Amino acid sequence: MQVFNMDKMNILYCFDNKSWRMAAVSMESLLLSQNPTIPMTIYCMVMPGTKHHGKFRKIIKSHKTNVELVWREINQNENPFGGIEFSKWEPTRFYRCISHRFFKDVDKILFLNNNTLVFRDLFYGLYNTDISDYAFAAVQDMSPINADTSANGKYVKEFSAKYL
């Protein structure tokens, strides 16, 4: 794979009032792992009425980096997947499929699941990879984050209890 030069990293999270804690923990791990000299915009596509916007701003501010937060509530009528009867998932699960409709000036965005913990700088190893010949790229899950018996699950639980 070829690597090309980009000057900024765009990250996408999609969540609601049920999953905001996981997204906050993931965002904290992202900010702890990234090179602070690389500018970053973190896009949050959320259900209407999702709270805790201030907590996400506080997490970003605590790192004193050049990170911008874009908070976008997605109304039910804006989500073409919102009323699909066959899906047992919340509408936020499908937001990643429509982010291009709301952030038209973004050429490339890395979607991180709310349960993703980041332990390495993503800019050079992943984000800066040329995928221009593909519609999208993906990576395999590495570890269950919800399990109290896993190291990642314990980290999430401890971080959430301490900071959130």
Side-chain angles (χ1 to χ4, degrees):
M1 287 191 210
Q2 292 181 332
V3 175
F4 61 102
N5 188 17
M6 297 192 72
D7 57 350
K8 178 178 152 186
M9 186 162 60
N10 299 305
I11 303 293
L12 173 65
Y13 286 101
C14 304
F15 56 92
D16 57 17
N17 279 323
K18 294 180 204 169
S19 58
W20 74 270
R21 288 179 189 274
M22 298 291 280
V25 172
S26 178
M27 187 180 296
E28 175 71 16
S29 73
L30 169 73
L31 294 171
L32 285 171
S33 302
Q34 298 315 295
N35 179 339
T37 63
I38 303 293
M40 184 184 330
T41 300
I42 299 176
Y43 296 88
C44 294
M45 292 177 69
V46 301
M47 292 270 295
T50 301
K51 300 173 183 167
H52 312 295
H53 180 234
K55 291 187 182 196
F56 285 88
R57 293 172 63 80
K58 188 176 179 181
I59 289 169
I60 289 171
K61 196 175 195 178
S62 73
H63 289 274
K64 298 181 177 143
T65 59
N66 48 357
V67 178
E68 177 186 1
L69 178 67
V70 176
W71 189 270
R72 176 62 160 82
E73 289 190 8
I74 307 300
N75 296 316
Q76 187 67 16
N77 62 350
E78 292 179 304
N79 183 5
F81 303 103
I84 295 178
E85 300 280 332
F86 67 85
S87 176
K88 65 180 180 177
W89 304 108
E90 299 88 14
T92 56
R93 296 271 183 153
F94 300 100
Y95 287 179
R96 66 187 111 175
C97 301
I98 59 172
S99 63
H100 65 282
R101 294 181 180 186
F102 301 99
F103 311 120
K104 295 180 187 225
D105 59 334
V106 176
D107 291 332
K108 185 176 188 177
I109 196 163
L110 175 62
F111 168 74
L112 294 178
N113 271 333
N114 299 330
N115 62 356
T116 301
L117 290 178
V118 181
F119 294 104
R120 292 188 188 121
D121 188 319
L122 297 177
F123 185 74
Y124 295 105
L126 179 64
Y127 187 81
N128 218 9
T129 301
D130 182 2
I131 61 168
S132 58
D133 291 339
Y134 305 94
F136 68 93
V139 296
Q140 182 178 357
D141 271 342
M142 300 303 290
S143 175
I145 196 171
N146 291 324
D148 285 341
T149 56
S150 76
N152 290 344
K154 288 177 186 174
Y155 172 81
V156 169
K157 193 173 192 174
E158 289 170 8
F159 178 88
S160 183
K162 186 175 181 180
Y163 296 106
L164 304 176

